[in-house]
Amino acid sequence: MRIHGWVVYAGLLCGMATAVAHAGNDDASIDRDDQQVMSTIAFLDAHPDLKYRREGWLAFEAGDYEAAIGHLTKAARFGDKMSQAMLAEMAWKGQGQTVDRPLGYAWADLAAERGYRQFVALREHYWGQLTPQERERAIEVGQPLLPLYSQEVTQVTMSKHLRKARRYMIAGRVSRGGDVYVPGVGGLWTKIRGHDFYAEKFWNPEWYQEWNDQVWMDPPKENVDVGEPATVPGRE
């Protein structure tokens, strides 16, 4: 399994892909409005799992593996399974570090916690390649990762961050006529309908987790055009 085969999955925040959203929501697809929300700086700042995954991927693509590891490790602290899988591949292949196959397995084991099939397959592939000695070391190096990066810990961390970020957004947003104006790509102010920006699937921790589960259980395949940002009068 090659890491480049996962680039489309990282498109949740880059405007590259569409996927299935929260199963309990009437609108079950990520449409253009959703993509517009996810492409804004304000949204990414409130969702560090996606923000640092994006920065890590951009650094990886630029060949700056050291920076990529730093960003992806931050995303992993918020439970981003894609980032944990990328860290696994980079350790396994020695990108930005010496080759460390046991550490690669340990990260892959974390990435597979929620049963996403592509990450489970990666973990099992790694395990099959390890020697008996490497398997023992994989268990040893994996133990110190659990208090910081396991699902049990990161879900609490992410939930607290989402609730705090939502309160901050509601208190400090710039709004007119039901629309929300937030910084977008390049610092341009983007107009978004408040109903879209504050959708429960983005801010309710339980819904957000279910939404992520749906995305990774059924990986995205299509492209979406995010569109052009709108400029707030007086803020050019």
Side-chain angles (χ1 to χ4, degrees), residues 1-4 6 89 93 117-122 125-126:
M1 179 179 296
R2 298 177 58 208
I3 198 165
H4 285 282
W6 299 340
E89 281 273 282
K93 295 179 178 179
R117 62 180 181 273
Q118 62 271 39
F119 299 152
V120 171
L122 182 70
H125 172 71
Y126 283 174

Side-chain angles (χ1 to χ4, degrees), residues 46-62:
H47 294 75
D49 54 332
L50 302 185
K51 174 184 178 180
Y52 291 119
R53 183 207 302 171
R54 177 181 183 274
E55 293 182 1
W57 179 259
L58 293 175
F60 180 88
E61 285 288 271

